[in-house]
Amino acid sequence: ATRCDFTCARLEDLEPQFMAEWGDDADLIWLQWTLQYLTDADAVDTLRNLAGAMLEHTGLLVVKENRPYGTARTDRFQMERPENSGGRYDITRSDEHHRFLFHQAGLVVNMREEGVETNTYALRCMA
């Protein structure tokens, strides 16, 4: 590529008016171990913002998240509660649950790779 820009930003800042400063649509957005800290509604809003503002044409959104594995049930999400007041809640969603959130955000799964403890999705905007 003749030009490559990397941006490290907070999710709260990734709104259309902020991203408009970047110019052209992004070719690739990588979101890793982020959705697990968001409610379903916040996850859909975040994905929708990224998709609508940046991926309208040919961009790809890659999402890597934990998945249930081992003896964990795959028919429901799992929630880890913090052990102390400064801890974070952590939601582990099934593949079906992730796909539902992606659909709600206007995204389709182009490819999925299953790791031992994670799923990695390559997503595109719905046509």
Side-chain angles (χ1 to χ4, degrees):
T2 58
R3 190 188 97 183
C4 187
D5 295 318
F6 293 91
T7 301
C8 181
R10 297 177 57 88
L11 284 176
E12 300 93 305
D13 296 333
L14 294 177
E15 296 177 1
Q17 64 271 16
F18 173 78
M19 292 184 283
E21 298 172 11
W22 298 345
D24 297 335
D25 291 343
D27 295 319
L28 175 69
I29 299 171
W30 188 281
L31 197 63
Q32 181 169 328
W33 294 314
T34 303
L35 300 182
Q36 67 194 44
Y37 300 111
L38 302 177
T39 65
D40 283 359
D42 289 338
V44 169
D45 286 345
T46 296
L47 292 167
R48 192 175 286 142
N49 275 343
L50 293 172
M54 303 197 62
L55 302 168
E56 293 180 15
H57 304 291
T58 60
L60 191 66
L61 172 59
V62 177
V63 174
K64 182 175 183 177
E65 290 290 323
N66 291 338
R67 67 174 188 84
Y69 67 95
T71 59
R73 295 183 64 168
T74 59
D75 61 338
R76 61 185 71 186
F77 69 88
Q78 300 166 245
M79 185 172 77
E80 303 287 328
R81 292 187 208 153
E83 294 181 15
N84 57 48
S85 63
R88 298 177 290 207
Y89 286 88
D90 179 349
I91 301 169
T92 301
R93 296 175 175 95
S94 66
D95 176 54
E96 183 178 343
H97 195 151
H98 277 114
R99 288 175 185 266
F100 172 77
L101 297 178
F102 301 151
H103 180 77
Q104 293 298 307
L107 296 162
V108 292
V109 176
N110 193 48
M111 185 195 86
R112 175 180 158 255
E113 181 179 291
E114 185 176 301
V116 175
E117 298 178 7
T118 62
N119 279 330
T120 304
Y121 302 90
L123 306 169
R124 294 200 184 276
C125 286
M126 290 182 183

